[in-house]
Amino acid sequence: MKKPILFLLATTLPLPFAATPLRAQNIMTPAAGPPLQGDAPTPANEQEVTFAADTLTYDDNAEIVTATGNVRMMRQGDRLRADKVQWNQKTGVVRAEGNVAVVNSSNDTLYGDSVELTDSLRDGVIENLLLVLNDGGRLAAVHGVRRNEVTTLDKAVYTPCAVLDSKGCPKEPIWKISAVRVVHDPNKHRISYDGARISFLGAPILWLPGLSHPDGSGGGGSGLLLPDVKYSRVNGAELGLPYYFQLAPNRDLTITPHVYTKVLPAIEAQYRALTDNGAWQAAGMLTYSSRFAATTGTTPVPNGNKDIRGYIDANGRFQLDPYWTLSGSIRGTSDRTFLRRYDISRDDRLRNQIQAERITPNSYLSIKGWAVQTLRTNDKQGQQPIALPAIDYRLRMADPWVGGTLNIQANSLALLRTDGQDTQRAFAAVQWDMRRYTPLGQEFTLTAYGRGDIYHTDQVGRTSTIVYRGDPGWTTRGIAAVAADMRWPFVGAFLGGSQRITPRVQIVASPKTRNLSIPNEDARAIDLEDSNLFALNRFSGYDRWEDGSRITYGAEWAVDLPGISFNTVIGQSYRLSNKSTLLPVGTGLSDRLSDIVGRTTVKYGRFLELTHRFRLDKDNFAVRRNEIDATIGTQRTYATIGYLKLNRDIAATIEDLRDREEVRLGARIQIARYWSVFGSTVIDLTGRREDPLTLSDGYQPIRHRLGILYDDDCIELGVTWRREYDAIGDARRGNTFLLRLALKNLGR
């Protein structure tokens, strides 16, 4: 009995219905239910088939083996139940009849009135079948035939949706696909439909003649994807209909025509490829329309005749060997308003780069080049830098003389501009760190740092901010610093948990350093905050160095309780000399005594996470920086809050340090089991008091979004309204409506 039963299970269970999005006939589970584990003895090995039946007979003349009465069979975790199983040894036909149910190792269950296998047990016929998939999907058909590995289903229906309500009563599934005939060809990895249609709540809504799609094996296949539907004031109604081409198991192409009611159509494409050592993709979009100047007026100003407009976005990363990696990206657009106009991106700068990296346990080498395309209204493209090349090398090694660690760095950078200042830089640096612990638990760190720089620059007059220019021609600079840092953590029990109080003191000394003679390309956005309070150099880049002597002090308090954690840091620094500093007034570092900075983080399980950063004026405790980021709620109902206010009163001539104030709000509320509403907003609260050069009136909405979503196990349906308030060129302010429809488990 082993051979026929083995083939019965192997042929019936994997009938490629499990990958077939379709369905028809009765989709309710039969009352008898599936066969259970233990109905038949457990097989001793993978080849053995065990069975149990009320009677077993053998007809010598007809050579027919018949098992009848509550037949149960098992092999490799596959289980079969039937009223009768018959094997004709002459014809090779195996037939299971009456309440047939088969469960495979993936826990998919097949029901049928009868299953008949012929032709060396490879082909077969199933009557009145129902397949209940482990993921909840259901497939039913009046008649199923498999010949030469091709399966044909007549009057078939598929749905992944629930067919019972909360009280266990039958209900119409939310959506289903039905067809007169469904054909699955595993050699082509495709499923084809004859007379297919999609029904929603029992009503047909879409006929799909000639529908065909991949069966989920062989890496998928070509076919239509779900359409993208939206409406905007600028472009009108939009329909995007993507078509997917599988070029090879590791390469594909998606082409999406976009049709609009107010503008000419556009074509979008995306190509993706996976190679032996990496992956890359390229996407782009093209259309033909009038260009408009990137102005912020209420009426767009034409800028020439109609022209081809579009964008390109490509990136890739390749692991050449265990140490070397090559990566790059290309982003470009035809004009400054295209990405906003066609709702592709809100980026105001597009960065192109290529980088080769070599990473070992103790060294790092980066060779990079990059260029930037600005999309900002008042920025000049000729002022944007092109870095070619930017090289950085670092080596870490143990100090063989007095202990500690040596970090050696070499760096070079060449910045070119088509209509601006050019700068070339190179330096070599070495840093020595030694960390020791005392018997009392104090952590001491000693640091020594030395660096030699060489710069060359020209066209300095094209940089409008004088303090950023530096001297033209060749300039050299030497940098040295020593530092001592002490932390002393105190740990103990607290309210059923633990707490840690860690005072910290740092002393840094550095001789006077040439700064204004050096161009400033990468250290412009200086601001005192908790992240750089104890840094050796509190400038953000290499072109500026904080010299002089100072002492920095602060403390950290951390509390860990069951389900709750709390961490706060506060600190301040004091310069030991009264010499003037190049740090601008308002950064919190311009006087001998710095402002007070800190950060507080509170977590309550997964329900609350709040981070607050602040800077207080040392003289009157006025809030110069107030930043809050919070997430409150559960996975289904939550709110996010973001608030930032910079009130530093820095001179308006330094454009990188202007003050601002904004609030960001977002929320999702579960209003029923499957229904939720969501929304978000960004509001610019900057006024003339914060930034004298701002055009905002102190309450300027940037973007609003509001939507409603239905999301269950088989469908996702949502409508989103978004309003834009920025008006740049032909990217006008106005409303956009987006419709999202996703039919889940369509294919496996």
Side-chain angles (χ1 to χ4, degrees):
M1 289 291 293
K2 292 183 180 180
K3 181 177 179 181
I5 300 303
L6 181 146
F7 273 99
L8 176 65
L9 291 169
T11 320
T12 303
L13 293 175
L15 271 175
F17 308 150
T20 311
L22 31 127
R23 237 216 54 179
Q25 286 307 94
N26 184 7
I27 57 176
M28 304 304 300
T29 303
L36 303 177
Q37 193 78 30
D39 284 352
T42 302
N45 53 60
E46 295 183 355
Q47 300 301 322
E48 184 178 5
V49 177
T50 62
F51 72 93
D54 292 342
T55 61
L56 180 67
T57 61
Y58 179 68
D59 187 333
D60 291 335
N61 296 325
E63 297 185 23
I64 296 176
V65 180
T66 304
T68 58
N70 198 25
V71 182
R72 301 288 194 274
M73 297 183 178
M74 182 178 296
R75 179 188 68 97
Q76 289 183 287
D78 300 331
R79 308 186 300 276
L80 175 144
R81 185 204 63 232
D83 294 339
K84 179 181 178 181
V85 175
Q86 190 176 74
W87 176 31
N88 189 320
Q89 294 177 314
K90 288 184 177 180
T91 63
V93 173
V94 176
R95 183 178 182 85
E97 298 178 338
N99 297 312
V100 179
V102 183
V103 179
N104 65 9
S105 57
S106 299
N107 212 29
D108 299 328
T109 305
L110 173 70
Y111 299 96
D113 290 344
S114 66
V115 177
E116 182 178 288
L117 303 175
T118 60
D119 190 17
S120 302
L121 305 178
R122 295 182 180 275
D123 297 335
V125 178
I126 301 179
E127 300 294 339
N128 195 25
L129 68 93
L130 169 66
L131 179 64
V132 180
L133 305 175
N134 187 42
D135 61 14
R138 289 169 178 261
L139 165 70
V142 174
H143 183 74
V145 178
R146 181 166 67 179
R147 289 192 177 91
N148 299 322
E149 298 184 350
V150 177
T151 301
T152 302
L153 303 176
D154 293 326
K155 297 182 180 179
V157 180
Y158 167 81
T159 183
C161 305
V163 296
L164 299 176
D165 59 20
S166 58
K167 297 180 181 179
C169 299
K171 72 169 187 175
E172 182 71 26
I174 293 178
W175 72 269
K176 62 184 180 183
I177 294 182
S178 57
V180 176
R181 176 167 294 181
V182 181
V183 178
H184 172 243
D185 190 338
N187 297 316
K188 297 180 179 179
H189 306 291
R190 294 204 65 80
I191 298 173
S192 303
Y193 299 80
D194 182 10
R197 67 182 182 182
I198 296 179
S199 299
F200 184 76
L201 295 176
I205 61 171
L206 183 63
W207 278 262
L208 300 170
L211 175 64
S212 174
H213 63 78
D215 63 2
S217 65
S222 303
L224 287 171
L225 304 180
L226 286 174
D228 182 22
V229 180
K230 66 176 66 173
Y231 175 84
S232 67
R233 174 191 170 190
V234 178
N235 298 328
E238 174 188 351
L239 174 64
L241 193 61
Y243 193 91
Y244 174 82
F245 296 91
Q246 186 193 29
L247 306 178
N250 65 325
R251 294 182 292 115
D252 60 35
L253 172 66
T254 302
I255 296 180
T256 307
H258 294 267
V259 180
Y260 309 90
T261 58
K262 290 187 177 182
V263 294
L264 292 175
I267 187 72
E268 182 180 9
Q270 181 187 41
Y271 177 84
R272 303 184 301 176
L274 178 66
T275 68
D276 292 337
N277 55 8
W280 68 280
Q281 66 172 357
M285 183 174 179
L286 282 176
T287 189
Y288 185 76
S289 65
S290 298
R291 295 191 185 189
F292 291 82
T295 60
T296 57
T298 56
T299 302
V301 179
N303 183 24
N305 298 322
K306 288 187 175 182
D307 200 354
I308 295 176
R309 304 176 69 190
Y311 84 97
I312 185 171
D313 186 348
N315 60 77
R317 183 178 180 87
F318 303 92
Q319 191 74 40
L320 305 181
D321 63 25
Y323 301 115
W324 280 99
T325 301
L326 179 65
S327 61
S329 64
I330 299 174
R331 299 188 70 195
T333 182
S334 58
D335 53 86
R336 301 195 183 200
T337 62
F338 179 84
L339 297 181
R340 286 175 176 263
R341 167 70 183 270
Y342 289 91
D343 198 24
I344 298 169
S345 170
R346 292 295 181 275
D347 293 341
D348 57 7
R349 284 193 177 111
L350 302 181
R351 182 162 175 159
N352 302 269
Q353 66 177 12
I354 184 169
Q355 180 177 20
E357 291 180 292
R358 186 179 189 273
I359 303 175
T360 71
N362 292 299
S363 68
Y364 172 78
L365 172 64
S366 170
I367 305 173
K368 182 189 296 187
W370 48 262
V372 174
Q373 179 184 7
T374 183
L375 306 182
R376 294 185 176 185
T377 304
N378 298 318
D379 281 2
K380 295 181 179 180
Q381 182 60 44
Q383 292 281 338
Q384 303 306 308
I386 301 172
L388 193 68
I391 303 174
D392 189 55
Y393 176 74
R394 306 184 187 209
L395 175 65
R396 181 179 60 192
M397 55 189 298
D399 176 12
W401 300 288
V402 296
T405 303
L406 285 173
N407 290 280
I408 301 171
Q409 181 182 9
N411 181 282
S412 70
L413 173 67
L415 293 181
L416 307 174
R417 294 178 174 89
T418 59
D419 186 21
Q421 178 173 323
D422 297 336
T423 300
Q424 295 85 43
R425 176 191 74 199
F427 71 77
V430 60
Q431 180 173 327
W432 171 81
D433 296 288
M434 184 176 68
R435 180 178 301 176
R436 295 290 185 268
Y437 294 90
T438 70
L440 295 177
Q442 298 159 323
E443 177 188 347
F444 281 97
T445 303
L446 297 177
T447 300
Y449 182 81
R451 197 175 94 196
D453 302 342
I454 182 169
Y455 281 80
H456 179 267
T457 186
D458 55 19
Q459 306 291 336
V460 296
R462 296 187 177 183
T463 297
S464 57
T465 305
I466 297 176
V467 294
Y468 293 162
R469 292 177 176 177
D471 295 338
W474 293 95
T475 309
T476 59
R477 177 176 65 176
I479 295 174
V482 293
D485 192 307
M486 188 275 287
R487 306 184 195 207
W488 195 355
F490 296 89
V491 182
F494 182 72
L495 299 177
S498 64
Q499 68 172 333
R500 183 180 71 255
I501 300 175
T502 308
R504 181 178 181 182
V505 178
Q506 179 196 59
I507 298 177
V508 178
S510 178
K512 184 173 178 59
T513 304
R514 298 180 69 181
N515 275 302
L516 294 180
S517 299
I518 302 296
N520 185 1
E521 298 281 5
D522 66 1
R524 300 180 178 184
I526 173 65
D527 196 13
L528 179 64
E529 49 188 297
D530 65 282
S531 62
N532 65 4
L533 177 65
F534 289 93
L536 199 62
N537 179 33
R538 291 182 287 199
F539 281 99
S540 57
Y542 297 112
D543 293 338
R544 291 290 181 265
W545 179 263
E546 186 181 3
D547 55 14
S549 301
R550 66 181 185 270
I551 180 171
T552 305
Y553 44 86
E556 178 184 5
W557 181 29
V559 176
D560 291 297
L561 304 176
I564 303 175
S565 64
F566 170 88
N567 182 284
T568 187
V569 177
I570 191 169
Q572 189 179 34
S573 68
Y574 178 76
R575 283 195 291 114
L576 301 178
S577 64
N578 57 6
K579 295 181 180 179
S580 61
T581 177
L582 74 143
L583 291 159
V585 175
T587 60
L589 291 165
S590 57
D591 295 335
R592 295 188 65 181
L593 187 64
S594 78
D595 286 348
I596 302 167
V597 295
R599 182 199 73 245
T600 299
T601 301
V602 179
K603 293 183 180 180
Y604 176 64
R606 295 185 178 181
F607 181 78
L608 169 67
E609 182 173 350
L610 182 147
T611 300
H612 177 227
R613 295 179 176 87
F614 64 90
R615 174 157 69 88
L616 303 179
D617 192 291
K618 66 184 185 307
D619 297 322
N620 54 18
F621 298 106
V623 179
R624 298 302 179 190
R625 182 188 187 100
N626 192 12
E627 184 178 0
I628 298 173
D629 287 290
T631 301
I632 306 169
T634 64
Q635 186 175 4
R636 293 180 175 269
T637 298
Y638 59 86
T640 61
I641 302 170
Y643 174 77
L644 172 65
K645 182 175 183 179
L646 300 176
N647 183 25
R648 303 169 295 184
D649 296 331
I650 299 177
T653 55
I654 306 178
E655 68 270 19
D656 300 277
L657 300 175
R658 288 180 181 170
D659 288 339
R660 59 184 300 207
E661 184 178 9
E662 73 173 29
V663 62
R664 306 176 306 278
L665 302 174
R668 181 180 187 268
I669 301 174
Q670 192 84 20
I671 57 177
R673 182 178 180 183
Y674 300 120
W675 290 93
S676 61
V677 294
F678 57 89
S680 63
T681 184
V682 179
I683 301 174
D684 184 2
L685 301 176
T686 307
R688 294 295 178 88
R689 185 174 61 179
E690 288 83 19
D691 182 2
L693 301 180
T694 185
L695 299 177
S696 178
D697 59 1
Y699 186 87
Q700 176 62 53
I702 303 299
R703 185 179 305 113
H704 295 332
R705 185 173 67 108
L706 183 65
I708 185 168
L709 178 69
Y710 178 88
D711 187 3
D712 64 14
D713 294 337
C714 69
I715 191 172
E716 182 178 325
L717 177 63
V719 178
T720 302
W721 163 76
R722 189 179 68 227
R723 179 165 179 84
E724 299 287 344
Y725 290 87
D726 279 345
I728 301 176
D730 57 349
R732 311 308 299 159
R733 63 178 62 190
N735 299 319
T736 300
F737 296 90
L738 300 95
L739 173 65
R740 173 174 173 78
L741 172 63
L743 305 180
K744 299 182 179 180
N745 299 320
L746 187 57
R748 300 180 62 196

